[in-house]
């Protein structure tokens, strides 16, 4: 009984973390939507005559990177064509359906636009959140840790890209790593050569602030580029 009770408590705690995480992600998307199309946009002469490439369709892929890219492209397109503010909300909901394929458009037709939908009226914000929950949320929960552990340092992209990628996946975990765990993961992914140079310069990676370490590694990268230039 104690073991069963412990397992139930663990599942409950896990569910609560996932709910908090989902709400945090929802807030980010809502803020993004508000920023781009939440308010009426003044008409600009000739703005709608500008030929802007249409956003690519979203097929319901569980890859959160694809969803983020699709949403941002759609919001930028709506911004340029001045579809902002509450008066255009229903129109934005209709536009979403034009840029969906696969299981994404199946969900949209069933839940948002279909005659058998259980909810009569959808806002644009509700449509985007619902689409995320249907296609991406569960996959992101399971993949975030895996992607976080798989991030590698690429000398061509540099330390800032390495740090940003780690931070992006860490933020998508239901229970993000604490400062110590994140710093350890960051250091474990650096080449031994760079870690040795950090120590030689008097940095103590285990205790240094992560942003201080990033700046120190960036300086090492810059010095290496400069050295290679003069040597060549």
């Amino acid at each position: 009984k104690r073991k069963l009770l412990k397992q139930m408590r663990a599942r409950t705690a896990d569910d609560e973390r996932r709910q908090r995480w989902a709400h945090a992600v929802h807030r980010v998307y809502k803020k993004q939507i508000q920023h781009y199309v939440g308010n009426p946009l003044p008409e600009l002469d000739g703005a709608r005559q500008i030929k802007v490439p249409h956003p690519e369709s979203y097929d319901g892929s569980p890859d959160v990177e694809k969803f983020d890219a699709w949403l941002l492209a759609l919001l930028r397109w709506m911004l340029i064509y001045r579809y902002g503010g509450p008066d255009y909300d229903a129109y934005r909901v209709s536009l979403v359906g034009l840029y969906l394929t696969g299981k994404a458009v199946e969900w949209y037709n069933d839940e948002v636009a279909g005659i058998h939908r259980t909810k009569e009226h959808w806002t644009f914000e509700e449509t985007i959140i619902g689409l995320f929950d249907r296609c991406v949320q569960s996959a992101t929960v399971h993949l975030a840790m895996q992607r976080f552990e798989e991030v590698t340092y690429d000398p061509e992209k540099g330390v800032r890209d390495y740090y940003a990628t780690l931070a992006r996946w860490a933020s998508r975990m239901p229970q993000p790593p604490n400062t110590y765990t994140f710093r350890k993961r960051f250091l474990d992914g650096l080449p031994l050569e760079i870690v040795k140079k950090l120590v030689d310069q008097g940095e103590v990676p285990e205790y240094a602030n992560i942003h201080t370490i990033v700046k120190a590694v960036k300086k090492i990268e810059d010095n290496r580029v400069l050295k290679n230039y003069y040597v060549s």
Side-chain angles (χ1 to χ4, degrees), residues 44-72:
L44 301 177
D45 292 338
R48 298 197 181 184
Q49 279 68 50
I50 299 174
K51 292 185 178 180
V52 180
H54 288 265
E56 295 183 2
S57 296
Y58 171 63
D59 62 1
S61 167
D63 189 334
V64 68
E65 301 281 284
K66 292 183 178 179
F67 182 85
D68 285 353
W70 168 78
L71 176 58
L72 185 57

Side-chain angles (χ1 to χ4, degrees), residues 139-152:
T140 301
V141 169
H142 295 296
L143 289 177
M145 175 62 80
Q146 178 183 342
R147 294 285 182 90
F148 179 75
E149 294 297 336
E150 290 176 348
V151 177
T152 57

Side-chain angles (χ1 to χ4, degrees), residues 186-207:
F186 178 86
L187 291 169
D188 288 345
L190 290 176
L192 184 59
E193 170 196 359
I194 290 181
V195 176
K196 287 181 177 179
K197 287 184 178 180
L198 286 174
V199 175
D200 290 342
Q201 292 174 5
E203 299 287 349
V204 183
E206 288 81 1
Y207 303 105

Side-chain angles (χ1 to χ4, degrees), residues 146-166:
Q146 178 183 342
R147 294 285 182 90
F148 179 75
E149 294 297 336
E150 290 176 348
V151 177
T152 57
Y153 171 81
D154 185 343
E156 294 296 324
K157 296 180 179 179
V159 68
R160 294 194 186 280
D161 179 84
Y162 173 58
Y163 170 78
T165 305
L166 280 174

Side-chain angles (χ1 to χ4, degrees), residues 37 39-41 43 48 78 81-95 124:
V37 296
N39 299 308
L41 300 168
E43 291 292 336
R48 298 197 181 184
M78 290 178 172
Y81 282 105
R82 325 308 289 170
Y83 295 133
D87 290 344
Y88 279 106
D89 196 71
Y91 189 70
R92 290 195 295 269
V93 172
S94 297
L95 282 173
F124 176 68

Side-chain angles (χ1 to χ4, degrees), residues 4-164:
L4 180 60
L5 183 60
K6 186 177 181 180
Q7 290 175 343
M8 291 176 62
R9 288 174 176 171
R11 283 197 296 268
T12 300
D14 189 50
D15 288 342
E16 289 177 353
R17 282 196 297 270
R18 291 190 182 199
Q19 288 179 0
R20 289 196 298 269
W21 171 84
H23 290 157
V25 175
H26 291 172
R27 284 196 298 272
V28 171
Y29 287 133
K30 289 176 181 179
K31 184 177 180 181
Q32 191 176 37
I33 291 169
Q34 178 64 30
H35 173 74
Y36 279 94
V37 296
N39 299 308
L41 300 168
E43 291 292 336
L44 301 177
D45 292 338
R48 298 197 181 184
Q49 279 68 50
I50 299 174
K51 292 185 178 180
V52 180
H54 288 265
E56 295 183 2
S57 296
Y58 171 63
D59 62 1
S61 167
D63 189 334
V64 68
E65 301 281 284
K66 292 183 178 179
F67 182 85
D68 285 353
W70 168 78
L71 176 58
L72 185 57
L74 181 65
L75 290 174
R76 285 173 173 168
W77 185 85
M78 290 178 172
L79 174 68
I80 292 172
Y81 282 105
R82 325 308 289 170
Y83 295 133
D87 290 344
Y88 279 106
D89 196 71
Y91 189 70
R92 290 195 295 269
V93 172
S94 297
L95 282 173
V96 170
L98 299 178
Y99 301 104
L100 300 175
T101 60
K103 70 176 183 180
V105 76
E106 289 178 4
W107 174 86
Y108 179 87
N109 289 337
D110 290 342
E111 300 294 335
V112 180
I115 192 171
H116 299 296
R117 63 186 183 273
T118 56
K119 180 179 170 65
E120 185 66 23
H121 300 290
W122 287 73
T123 66
F124 176 68
E125 184 180 277
E126 289 171 341
T127 303
I128 296 302
I129 297 301
L131 189 61
F132 171 81
D133 288 347
R134 169 63 180 84
C135 299
V136 185
Q137 178 179 322
S138 60
T140 301
V141 169
H142 295 296
L143 289 177
M145 175 62 80
Q146 178 183 342
R147 294 285 182 90
F148 179 75
E149 294 297 336
E150 290 176 348
V151 177
T152 57
Y153 171 81
D154 185 343
E156 294 296 324
K157 296 180 179 179
V159 68
R160 294 194 186 280
D161 179 84
Y162 173 58
Y163 170 78

